[in-house]
Amino acid sequence: MSAADILPRDIGKARLVGRVWSKQMGGPCPVFLRQGQLYDASSVACTLSALLERSDLLKQFDQNRDLPALGSVQDFLDGSAGELLAPLDLQAVKAAGVTFADSMLERVIEEQAKGDPSQAQAIRAKLAPVLGDNLRGLVAGSEQAQQVKALLQDMGLWSQYLEVGIGPDAEIFTKAQPMSSVGCGATIGIHPGSHWNNPEPEVVLAITSDGRIVGATLGNDVNLRDFEGRSALLLSKAKDNNASCAIGPFIRLLDDEFTLAALGQLEVSLDVRGTDGFHMQGVSPMSAISRTPRDLADQLLNRCHQYPDGAVLFLGTMFAPTKDRRGEGQGFTHEVGDRVSISSPALGQLVNWVDTSDACPEWTFGVGALMRNLAERGLLTPKA
């Protein structure tokens, strides 16, 4: 990979912040990206969580020119200066499920198939003509959605996934623990006991403790379709495994050029290439989402749910891959060695390689380790 491969197409206009492990500094650093160079923003805020909380963040990005240079993006991609980390640290890692019509249909199929991929094709052929036309274009929680709910109930087709997909209450769940997510260039993990799984390419919001949406990035909410299909109560096991959450490469800050309205019009591409010659790709629009990013952020963080260190929120997947891989009617599943690329012109490209979760590097650097590292580097000393 080169830096040009992973950066936004309009890089000259983008304000990008992120997080790296710096060999020079001996630990993780929040960074500003300017003209291909990464600058240590630890003096502005020693965690990325605290950096995003700053009301003057855009001003700091534009005017604070005295920050230490850590190296180029390429220096971190090739490992000479360190490595790119997921662009978050203390924030909660949350996700919204069932927010697009096509993936909504696939969740119902998983439920009906009870985790058996060989049953999915027949169920899809039965349900798609009925559910697909009814769900596409629906606004969740609307009067029209309630009418469709009544129709599907009369047909005996109602599901818990349709309830959160078009009902008034969104599905918001914990995807991963703070600091457990991997960044661009890392391996992503599939549970070794899973035989039906897929990437979930998503737009991810960066949200402050007071509910402000301050930026966005890309994410892969790796999912185990067989686990969740057997029982929705296995959601945590289907979602939260070692290295099963990838986020990056950088957070693009909202500003006059990149607005919340512009975010709602993004297109996200998925490209999967296997060592077996398998290739799958597709493009989907954010405009097809059934709930607005603002609505999902408000359902995450409100008077009933606080996140003092902020949160990142996956907005739901637009893809539910069905292309056969292991045989006719078997649908898609990952193989070790797959290269997964999730991209959008305004956000860049998140690239990862698939392995089993037990073979991926263990997550050992938690909040306690971060605090010790920051203290050793003198970054927790109160400023005069």
Side-chain angles (χ1 to χ4, degrees), residues 262-284:
L263 186 149
Q265 296 303 311
L266 294 181
E267 289 191 338
V268 176
S269 299
L270 171 68
D271 187 284
V272 178
R273 296 175 186 268
T275 57
D276 56 356
F278 179 86
H279 184 211
M280 177 181 70
Q281 58 186 162
V283 180
S284 283

Side-chain angles (χ1 to χ4, degrees), residues 238-359:
K239 292 291 188 180
D240 187 6
N241 297 293
N242 185 43
S244 67
C245 179
I247 301 176
F250 298 96
I251 291 172
R252 181 166 184 172
L253 300 178
L254 295 186
D255 54 23
D256 292 340
E257 289 284 342
F258 183 61
T259 63
L260 200 55
L263 186 149
Q265 296 303 311
L266 294 181
E267 289 191 338
V268 176
S269 299
L270 171 68
D271 187 284
V272 178
R273 296 175 186 268
T275 57
D276 56 356
F278 179 86
H279 184 211
M280 177 181 70
Q281 58 186 162
V283 180
S284 283
M286 270 287 291
S287 58
I289 199 168
S290 62
R291 304 179 194 270
T292 66
R294 181 69 267 172
D295 174 46
L296 289 169
D298 289 343
Q299 293 212 35
L300 165 75
L301 197 153
N302 49 59
R303 188 61 185 85
C304 294
H305 301 275
Q306 290 85 48
Y307 298 94
D309 297 303
V312 296
L313 176 64
F314 284 75
L315 293 180
T317 187
M318 310 165 206
F319 288 92
T322 60
K323 184 177 179 179
D324 288 339
R325 187 169 195 179
R326 292 181 175 175
E328 186 176 353
Q330 293 297 306
F332 172 83
T333 196
H334 270 305
E335 301 287 358
V336 169
D338 282 353
R339 180 187 187 273
V340 183
S341 165
I342 297 167
S343 62
S344 183
L347 297 176
Q349 182 177 205
L350 173 64
V351 182
N352 300 98
W353 282 263
V354 173
D355 207 337
T356 55
S357 289
D358 55 347

Side-chain angles (χ1 to χ4, degrees), residues 6-22:
I6 69 167
L7 296 177
R9 201 168 290 171
D10 60 341
I11 184 60
K13 298 179 180 179
R15 291 180 171 103
L16 300 178
V17 300
R19 189 166 178 262
V20 301
W21 184 278
S22 169

Side-chain angles (χ1 to χ4, degrees), residues 29-46:
C29 302
V31 293
F32 291 154
L33 173 56
R34 300 193 191 103
Q35 299 180 328
Q37 295 291 314
L38 293 169
Y39 294 88
D40 182 11
S42 298
S43 61
V44 181
C46 63

Side-chain angles (χ1 to χ4, degrees), residues 28 30 42-48 50 89-90 309 365-384:
S42 298
S43 61
V44 181
C46 63
T47 65
L48 192 55
D89 40 42
L90 300 181
D309 297 303
F365 195 89
V367 175
L370 173 64
M371 293 300 110
R372 288 190 295 272
N373 181 276
L374 294 177
E376 289 168 0
R377 293 157 57 196
L379 294 172
L380 294 184
T381 304
K383 295 180 181 179

Side-chain angles (χ1 to χ4, degrees), residues 10-351:
D10 60 341
I11 184 60
K13 298 179 180 179
R15 291 180 171 103
L16 300 178
V17 300
R19 189 166 178 262
V20 301
W21 184 278
S22 169
K23 294 180 179 178
Q24 176 184 337
M25 296 300 177
C29 302
V31 293
F32 291 154
L33 173 56
R34 300 193 191 103
Q35 299 180 328
Q37 295 291 314
L38 293 169
Y39 294 88
D40 182 11
S42 298
S43 61
V44 181
C46 63
T47 65
L48 192 55
S49 165
L51 186 68
L52 294 175
E53 291 284 324
R54 291 193 63 130
S55 60
D56 64 345
L57 179 54
L58 295 181
K59 180 180 178 181
Q60 288 288 335
F61 185 95
D62 291 339
Q63 298 181 11
N64 196 330
R65 298 287 170 170
D66 297 324
L67 303 176
L70 299 178
S72 68
V73 174
Q74 193 63 47
D75 293 333
F76 285 89
L77 284 176
D78 65 27
S80 60
E83 65 179 299
L84 295 180
L85 301 176
L88 73 161
D89 40 42
L90 300 181
Q91 298 98 318
V93 185
K94 310 291 284 190
V98 203
T99 55
F100 289 84
D102 287 346
S103 61
M104 201 182 309
L105 172 61
E106 288 300 314
R107 295 293 87 79
V108 178
I109 291 168
E110 283 173 19
E111 181 182 40
Q112 295 281 324
K114 297 189 170 31
D116 181 358
S118 66
Q119 302 299 314
Q121 189 170 354
I123 296 169
R124 188 176 297 112
K126 174 185 174 183
L127 296 182
V130 180
L131 291 182
D133 292 340
N134 280 292
L135 299 179
R136 198 157 282 111
L138 268 186
V139 176
S142 66
E143 182 177 343
Q144 182 186 5
Q146 292 305 307
Q147 294 171 355
V148 170
K149 175 179 179 177
L151 170 66
L152 296 176
Q153 285 176 321
D154 289 343
M155 297 173 65
L157 294 176
W158 194 243
S159 158
Q160 59 192 336
Y161 293 105
L162 295 173
E163 178 64 46
V164 297
I166 67 175
D169 298 310
E171 178 192 22
I172 306 287
F173 61 91
T174 296
K175 166 59 184 178
Q177 301 308 303
M179 297 180 60
S180 68
S181 304
V182 300
C184 185
T187 53
I188 51 173
I190 300 294
H191 193 287
S194 173
H195 302 287
W196 187 22
N197 46 67
N198 62 275
E200 293 197 349
E202 306 188 22
V203 172
V204 182
L205 299 181
I207 306 171
T208 62
S209 61
D210 58 359
R212 290 177 293 123
I213 301 172
V214 294
T217 185
L218 297 167
N220 188 349
D221 176 16
V222 178
N223 184 47
L224 311 181
R225 301 191 70 178
D226 42 7
F227 279 46
E228 187 177 356
R230 295 205 316 267
S231 170
L233 297 181
L234 291 174
L235 178 65
S236 62
K237 193 162 188 177
K239 292 291 188 180
D240 187 6
N241 297 293
N242 185 43
S244 67
C245 179
I247 301 176
F250 298 96
I251 291 172
R252 181 166 184 172
L253 300 178
L254 295 186
D255 54 23
D256 292 340
E257 289 284 342
F258 183 61
T259 63
L260 200 55
L263 186 149
Q265 296 303 311
L266 294 181
E267 289 191 338
V268 176
S269 299
L270 171 68
D271 187 284
V272 178
R273 296 175 186 268
T275 57
D276 56 356
F278 179 86
H279 184 211
M280 177 181 70
Q281 58 186 162
V283 180
S284 283
M286 270 287 291
S287 58
I289 199 168
S290 62
R291 304 179 194 270
T292 66
R294 181 69 267 172
D295 174 46
L296 289 169
D298 289 343
Q299 293 212 35
L300 165 75
L301 197 153
N302 49 59
R303 188 61 185 85
C304 294
H305 301 275
Q306 290 85 48
Y307 298 94
D309 297 303
V312 296
L313 176 64
F314 284 75
L315 293 180
T317 187
M318 310 165 206
F319 288 92
T322 60
K323 184 177 179 179
D324 288 339
R325 187 169 195 179
R326 292 181 175 175
E328 186 176 353
Q330 293 297 306
F332 172 83
T333 196
H334 270 305
E335 301 287 358
V336 169
D338 282 353
R339 180 187 187 273
V340 183
S341 165
I342 297 167
S343 62
S344 183
L347 297 176
Q349 182 177 205
L350 173 64
V351 182

